[in-house]
Amino acid sequence: MKKELLYQGKAKHVYLTNEPNELILSYKDQATAFNGKKKEIVTGKGRFNNLISAKIFDYLTKENVPNHFIKSLNDTEQLVEQTSIIPLEVVVRNLATGSIVKRLGFKEKTVFQPALVELYYKNDALDDPIINDQHAFLLTHTTKEEIELIKGYALKINQLLRPYFEQIDVQLVDFKLEFGRNQNGEIILADEISPDTCRLWDLETEMSLDKDVFRQGTGDLLPVYQEILNRLGEIK
Ligand code: C5P
């Protein structure tokens, strides 16, 4: 049963439950970009994020990736294992686009083989700065070995998600993951994986099927999220 609000994020509310180690993630109908500077109510968006993320976490569970997802509860809510979130945004890039092009001057669509893993310090006041491994373990109460573990999980998840999306004619360009520490002290995948947190390009047309349509103001968010959910629905 849903109890009091524990935390209010930009895209989700997190509620306590009767169970001490279980939380409810409730997805909001809100789109934000540029650290909340652009913000809009998009009715129906929460449902898409919830259902898409649930589907992806189900797949990762089947592939033995330790994660927080327990089950979907309804269209906009899911039950997850409680973790203490490690304040890192772990970004995996297969192709150069977005901030890496702006920051470091990589040519758009440069292929990263092997995939590039970057760490950002999850801190709104500092605008989520990019950091190195040493900063990461100094800032986040993790060890060197745990940072290596997290980066290893990120690459493994990339290896699993690339073919998963390819079968629905989607190219996984880049994505962001978050990890948390559970009651046993284990580091597991947490948060969400959705078109809010991934760049997903149609394999043929390279059209964005993700939050870039909102960030760049090039189209409506709902039809492209619906398209991703429809295509995921075709996977057996
Ligand atoms: O903006 P940037 O190119 O660094 O984004 C890389 C990937 O990480 C994109 O898929 C983006 O959706 C995701 N991201 C995110 N949350 C952030 C920053 C980036 O989900 N705060």
Side-chain angles (χ1 to χ4, degrees), residues 10 35 89-93 97-103 118 120 128 173-178 191 194-200 210-212 215:
K10 290 195 270 285
N35 195 11
E89 300 203 336
V90 183
V91 169
V92 181
R93 299 183 190 269
T97 193
S99 72
I100 198 165
V101 170
K102 285 200 197 82
R103 182 183 304 110
E118 296 175 337
Y120 293 80
D128 300 341
V173 173
D174 57 31
F175 57 99
K176 183 263 304 180
L177 302 171
E178 294 185 25
D191 196 53
S194 73
D196 269 12
T197 63
C198 303
R199 285 199 175 91
L200 304 170
D210 58 57
K211 198 161 84 171
D212 270 354
R215 290 191 189 100

Side-chain angles (χ1 to χ4, degrees), residues 68-193:
H68 75 161
F69 183 74
I70 300 173
K71 63 175 181 182
S72 284
L73 296 174
N74 55 51
D75 266 4
T76 56
E77 294 180 319
Q78 51 188 245
L79 192 67
V80 300
E81 181 180 350
Q82 179 158 26
T83 62
S84 154
I85 292 288
I86 296 164
L88 284 178
E89 300 203 336
V90 183
V91 169
V92 181
R93 299 183 190 269
N94 294 306
L95 279 189
T97 193
S99 72
I100 198 165
V101 170
K102 285 200 197 82
R103 182 183 304 110
L104 299 177
F106 279 99
K107 200 166 165 283
E108 188 78 28
K109 297 184 200 169
T110 302
V111 175
F112 297 121
Q113 179 66 265
L116 199 59
V117 182
E118 296 175 337
L119 301 176
Y120 293 80
Y121 183 35
K122 193 172 149 69
N123 183 315
D124 281 345
L126 297 176
D127 244 349
D128 300 341
I130 192 165
I131 57 175
N132 69 22
D133 293 19
Q134 283 169 296
H135 296 135
F137 68 79
L138 289 171
L139 285 167
T140 67
H141 305 293
T142 47
T143 63
K144 233 181 183 155
E145 291 71 29
E146 286 175 331
I147 294 300
E148 284 309 314
L149 178 78
I150 286 172
K151 289 166 67 176
Y153 278 147
L155 286 172
K156 180 177 179 204
I157 292 164
N158 187 47
Q159 287 305 317
L160 290 167
L161 290 185
R162 282 182 75 173
Y164 182 69
F165 279 110
E166 259 166 36
Q167 53 179 324
I168 55 164
D169 295 326
V170 168
Q171 184 174 15
L172 179 61
V173 173
D174 57 31
F175 57 99
K176 183 263 304 180
L177 302 171
E178 294 185 25
F179 293 84
R181 199 183 289 281
N182 69 11
Q183 303 301 308
N184 304 326
E186 294 152 352
I187 291 181
I188 62 175
L189 178 67
D191 196 53
E192 69 176 284
I193 302 180

